[in-house]
Amino acid sequence: MPRPTVPPPSAAPPARRAPLFSVGPSLLALLALGACGGDPEKAAGAGDGDCTATTFYRDVDGDGFGDAAGPYEACTAPEGHVDNALDCDDVDAAVHPEAAESCNGTDDDCDGEVDEGTAGDTPWYADGDGDGYGDPEDVLEACTAPAGRVDNGLDCDDADAAVNPAAADLPRDGTDSDCSGSDATSLATAPLAGDLTVTTVADAEAFCADHDAVLGDLRITGGLRDTSALSCLVEVHGDLLVTSDSLAAVALPALWWVGGDLSIVGNPSLSQLELDALRIVDGELSLLDNAVLAPPTLGALALVGTLDSVDRATLPALATVLGPVALRPGLTLPSLAEVGGNLSVGDPDQTTVSLPALHTVTGGVYLLGLPALETLSLPALETTSALVMEYLPDDLPVELPALDHVGGAFTTLGDGPSRLSAAVTAVDGPLLLGAHATTAVSLPALATLGDRAALAGDALAEVDLTALETAPEGLSVACEGCAAVGLDALVSVDGSGLALTGFGGATALGLGALQSVSGPLVLSGFGALVDAELPRLVSLDGPLELVALPALARVSLPALSALEDRMEIGANPALVSVSLPVLGLPAFASMLDLRDNPLLESAELGLSGPQTGALVVSGNATLASLDLSGLETIGDLRIVGELDSLDLSALAAATGELELRTGPLASLSLPALTTVGDGATLVGGFTSLDLTALAAVGGDLALTPDALASLDLSALETVGGPLSLGAGGALGTVALPALTQAGLLVIEGTEGLTGISAPLLSTLGSDLVVSANFDLRDLDGLSALTTVGGSLVIVDNAELNDVSGLSGVGSVGADVFIQRNPSLAQSAAQSLVADDIGLGNIGGTVAVTDNGT
């Protein structure tokens, strides 16, 4: 049966008393039988409707909570019993589940714990480092001290036993060792205000009699042989200068700090230097020109301001230099971790640069002119504002396994290193690696650049930039010996663009992630390149040259939609296919130049809709067809080749020049073409030429249709430059019923042309040339012409016999030549000049000769 829960009695429990008698098991059974009418089954809880048995527990101490060891069943609770068994001490009325816990060694509230959470208990503090002082943030109340706790919370670093209120606080060590609230700054108890010069033992003794520190500058000079009388000195707040011809020993055993410069310079007799307590020099440390002094060891020195004037010393504890460091051959710095200025190494005698703990150089690292260097070890270097290596030995490798960030320039120049590898992820300044003897550059983690990057070298054969994602100011890699490009993650290049030169063993570009290039994309020297594939390149706003690549067979730029500059694919003797399925030429500078690829069979050019740039397809001997059916407008369009098929059915305008020289192409249909902004030249073996919508040509219009039988130019209204008709054999007449303006009219070298009709053309801005035509007989179709702005030239026309169609011309701005027209009567020619035009209306020379009789 589950234990019942009984609410606590409303009245306070009676005082603890001893039981009056003890009830045995047999008596309890009898009482139960009596309570249930003497029926054993009812006593057992069977019940007959008159009585339901319940388990009750004796409550000897009368606190309302029963003892689990004394249960029995009855219909009603006997005296001194309750219906719960929650008491853990039934002889003590002060112990029960509702009792308050107190510090008495008893589980007062029957929860299984003794003396816990007692109001008014003693707080105990964790003492994790065992120094007798507790952590104020880790407190526990208890009646007695738990293990590992103390009765105070005075520790300020409970993880360091050397830090507590009783500890001595070493000044300026970065630790508040005595928990006073701040790090100590001084050990001085009696400082001297002002400067001090010590030249004799008496000077030193007088100082130490009253003082232990100098608040100004201290100068030790004169005839002293040693400094033992200054053993009291703990601090110099200004500069400390030691210079004397006689000093043999400098020992300042208590000196821990120099607030300015410490200069031990020009001591020719000095052979002993002991500064065992010296930890900090805030200014410059200078140890120079001490001729007989062996390289000293300053074992406690941890911080200096500047370290560029020490020629020989071992500084085993020096971890921080606030300013620049000049590393010389005799200077050993095994613990140097941080340099606040530049780190420079430039002594030509330097054979070793080893700084195993150096991780941060706030300035730059400059390794300059080190021809004797044999070892360069900077294994912990993580960040520097610049890394410049110039004129290192050509057989010296440089490995920087921890280098993560270069805040400025990262450069090499001169002969070495022989190999360069670094874990750098970001270079904020220019990356210029151009040492002559470098064979490999491995920067596999470099992801971002802040400036331009150029890698080159006469011996370079391997480049790893596989993590590089962006080059905001341009990227140039010249690697004659490289078999792979190593730019697998490159997404974008801006600034001066992307130039890859050499890569003689690369068969593919390896630029699968490249999406945009701002500036030129130059690929030169790829002698083994077979596939020029840029699968993700969308935007290119600089020039791209794929020129004279002997193995190039395929060019594929399936995503390139915006070409902002010139792309030239030319003089590639093995090129078979070009695929530019979504190409766009959106800018006036945009140009695709596809020429002189003798084996080119397929050119997929997805030019569609309005385009602003230019397209040139020329000299590709085996290219037989070109589909530009989606092209609506373009700037310049030049197509020259032996084509069998050319689809320009949607072309409505060429804002620049239109040149189509298509060889054997029989049919050329331009049904939508209305405007050519500059000149238009159409030459080919056409038997069909559709120019029915052409209304305006801003420059020249040259038509040389070799086999054309008819030509409909009924919509043509203006030609800004020369209108030239030539060649042809089946074309009988050319009708220009809407033409009102032309710059110059040339009818030259035609076969079969018998006449030209332009009934609205009254003015030519320049010349009228009718020359070397075989079948042309008259010029009656030009009867509306009144003005020729340039010269009138009618020469060498075999069948021309009538020029009266020009009788309306009243003005010729330049020369008139009517010559060698055997079918034209000389008198008719002279009459046109003298009678119809009038000699006074001719602005230049007149020559009417050698015509017919």
Side-chain angles (χ1 to χ4, degrees):
M1 178 177 293
R3 175 183 297 175
T5 301
V6 178
S10 57
R16 182 170 51 185
R17 62 172 183 257
L20 298 179
F21 57 88
S22 176
V23 179
S26 59
L27 180 56
L28 289 174
L30 291 172
L31 290 172
L33 288 172
C36 295
D39 188 337
E41 292 185 1
K42 294 180 180 178
D48 61 358
D50 297 327
C51 174
T52 299
T54 302
T55 302
F56 296 95
Y57 302 88
R58 62 189 175 194
D59 179 13
V60 174
D61 56 11
D63 59 5
F65 297 90
D67 184 353
Y72 76 94
E73 295 184 353
C75 293
T76 59
E79 178 71 20
H81 290 75
V82 294
D83 61 356
N84 71 83
L86 301 179
D87 211 340
C88 56
D89 186 351
D90 200 36
V91 296
D92 189 345
V95 176
H96 55 79
E98 301 298 332
E101 192 76 22
S102 62
C103 286
N104 56 10
T106 298
D107 179 12
D108 297 295
D109 56 4
C110 296
D111 64 355
E113 296 185 37
V114 176
D115 295 345
E116 84 288 350
T118 305
D121 283 354
T122 303
W124 302 94
Y125 301 87
D127 182 13
D129 55 13
D131 60 3
Y133 294 89
D135 181 355
E137 302 298 323
D138 188 347
V139 60
L140 175 66
E141 292 185 347
C143 296
T144 58
R149 292 183 177 270
V150 295
D151 62 358
N152 71 85
L154 301 178
D155 210 340
C156 54
D157 186 350
D158 200 38
D160 188 345
V163 176
N164 58 67
D169 193 6
L170 192 65
R172 288 186 58 182
D173 65 347
T175 302
D176 178 16
S177 299
D178 61 359
C179 297
S180 64
S182 62
D183 188 15
T185 59
S186 177
L187 293 177
T189 59
L192 171 69
D195 301 333
L196 174 66
T197 298
V198 175
T199 60
T200 66
V201 172
D203 292 338
E205 291 175 344
F207 168 77
C208 282
D210 298 311
H211 304 289
D212 59 0
V214 177
L215 296 183
D217 299 335
L218 172 60
R219 181 181 176 92
I220 300 175
T221 186
L224 278 178
R225 289 192 55 78
D226 63 61
T227 61
S228 57
L230 280 173
S231 60
C232 67
L233 183 67
V234 295
E235 297 169 1
V236 177
H237 290 229
D239 298 336
L240 171 54
L241 172 63
V242 180
T243 179
S244 169
D245 291 341
S246 60
L247 266 174
V250 172
L252 300 170
L255 180 66
W256 74 271
W257 171 47
V258 176
D261 298 338
L262 172 57
S263 302
I264 302 176
V265 177
N267 298 281
S269 302
L270 185 63
S271 61
Q272 181 181 351
L273 178 62
E274 296 179 6
L275 298 170
D276 295 342
L278 183 64
R279 292 190 297 109
I280 300 172
V281 176
D282 284 337
E284 181 178 4
L285 174 63
S286 299
L287 296 173
L288 295 172
D289 300 328
N290 303 297
V292 298
L293 181 65
T297 297
L298 306 182
L301 187 62
L303 181 149
V304 300
T306 301
L307 191 66
D308 58 5
S309 300
V310 177
D311 53 6
R312 297 171 299 158
T314 298
L315 308 175
L318 183 62
T320 303
V321 178
L322 301 176
V325 173
L327 192 63
R328 291 181 168 82
L331 184 58
T332 303
L333 304 168
S335 299
L336 184 62
E338 298 182 63
V339 175
N342 293 334
L343 170 64
S344 59
V345 187
D347 193 313
D349 297 326
Q350 192 96 22
T351 61
T352 301
V353 173
S354 180
L355 298 169
L358 182 65
H359 59 76
T360 301
V361 179
T362 303
V365 176
Y366 297 91
L367 308 172
L368 309 175
L370 303 170
L373 194 63
E374 298 174 358
T375 300
L376 175 61
S377 179
L378 298 169
L381 183 63
E382 295 177 358
T383 181
T384 176
S385 67
L387 179 56
V388 178
M389 295 178 282
E390 297 184 359
Y391 301 101
L392 301 184
D394 58 12
D395 60 348
L396 179 74
V398 173
E399 297 181 3
L400 301 165
L403 183 63
D404 179 70
H405 182 218
V406 178
F410 186 174
T411 68
T412 65
L413 181 66
D415 295 330
S418 61
R419 298 187 310 278
L420 174 62
S421 65
V424 62
T425 62
V427 176
D428 295 345
L431 175 67
L432 306 174
L433 306 179
H436 301 305
T438 302
T439 60
V441 173
S442 180
L443 305 174
L446 181 61
T448 60
L449 292 169
D451 207 321
R452 66 190 182 98
L455 285 71
D458 300 337
L460 196 59
E462 180 182 349
V463 172
D464 187 349
L465 295 171
T466 50
L468 185 63
E469 297 176 357
T470 61
E473 297 298 330
L475 172 62
S476 170
V477 182
C479 184
E480 294 295 333
C482 283
V485 173
L487 291 166
D488 300 348
L490 187 64
V491 173
S492 64
V493 181
D494 296 315
S496 59
L498 175 61
L500 303 176
T501 305
F503 298 93
T507 60
L509 290 180
L511 294 169
L514 187 62
Q515 297 180 15
S516 66
V517 178
S518 177
L521 174 53
V522 179
L523 304 171
S524 175
F526 281 74
L529 183 66
V530 175
D531 290 300
E533 182 177 11
L534 297 168
R536 298 186 181 181
L537 185 65
V538 173
S539 174
L540 176 62
D541 68 1
L544 167 61
E545 293 187 1
L546 294 169
V547 177
L549 301 172
L552 183 64
R554 290 170 292 276
V555 174
S556 178
L557 290 82
L560 183 60
S561 60
L563 177 65
E564 303 287 344
D565 208 306
R566 178 187 179 94
M567 181 193 297
E568 183 176 357
I569 305 174
N572 298 296
L575 185 64
V576 175
S577 68
V578 172
S579 179
L580 302 165
V582 296
L583 181 67
L585 302 172
F588 288 106
S590 303
M591 180 177 184
L592 173 61
D593 191 349
L594 183 62
R595 70 173 75 198
D596 300 328
N597 302 290
L599 299 183
L600 184 63
E601 297 176 356
S602 171
E604 181 185 9
L605 307 180
L607 293 168
S608 64
Q611 301 295 332
T612 304
L615 172 63
V616 176
V617 181
S618 173
N620 304 292
T622 58
L623 184 64
S625 66
L626 196 58
D627 184 354
L628 298 171
S629 57
L631 184 62
E632 296 176 359
T633 62
I634 196 165
D636 292 336
L637 177 60
R638 182 184 179 201
I639 300 174
V640 178
E642 301 296 306
L643 296 180
D644 295 328
S645 173
L646 174 62
D647 192 336
L648 288 168
S649 56
L651 184 65
T655 57
E657 184 175 356
L658 175 65
E659 181 179 0
L660 303 176
R661 299 178 184 268
T662 58
L665 184 65
S667 176
L668 178 61
S669 180
L670 299 166
L673 183 64
T674 62
T675 306
V676 178
D678 203 339
T681 301
L682 284 77
V683 178
F686 311 126
T687 59
S688 173
L689 178 60
D690 186 348
L691 293 172
T692 54
L694 183 62
V697 177
D700 303 352
L701 174 58
L703 300 175
T704 309
D706 293 339
L708 198 63
S710 64
L711 179 61
D712 186 347
L713 293 173
S714 59
L716 185 63
E717 297 178 359
T718 61
V719 178
L723 170 56
S724 301
L725 298 175
L731 191 63
T733 61
V734 174
L736 302 164
L739 184 66
T740 60
Q741 177 182 335
L744 182 151
L745 178 58
V746 178
I747 306 170
E748 185 171 21
T750 66
E751 294 184 23
L753 183 68
T754 59
I756 181 169
S757 174
L760 300 181
L761 181 63
S762 61
T763 302
L764 288 175
S766 186
D767 303 337
L768 170 60
V769 177
V770 181
S771 173
N773 297 288
F774 290 91
D775 297 311
L776 185 66
R777 291 179 173 81
D778 61 59
L779 300 175
D780 292 349
L782 300 177
S783 60
L785 188 64
T786 61
T787 302
V788 176
S791 298
L792 172 61
V793 179
I794 303 174
V795 298
D796 299 323
N797 299 286
E799 299 296 328
L800 183 67
N801 57 37
D802 185 359
V803 293
S804 62
L806 299 178
S807 61
V809 175
S811 173
V812 176
D815 303 328
V816 173
F817 298 103
I818 304 177
Q819 297 173 310
R820 298 183 301 279
N821 300 288
S823 300
L824 178 65
Q826 178 73 7
S827 59
Q830 290 173 337
S831 176
L832 174 66
V833 172
D835 301 333
D836 296 327
I837 300 173
L839 294 175
N841 297 320
I842 297 173
T845 301
V846 176
V848 181
T849 62
D850 299 325
N851 297 294
T853 58

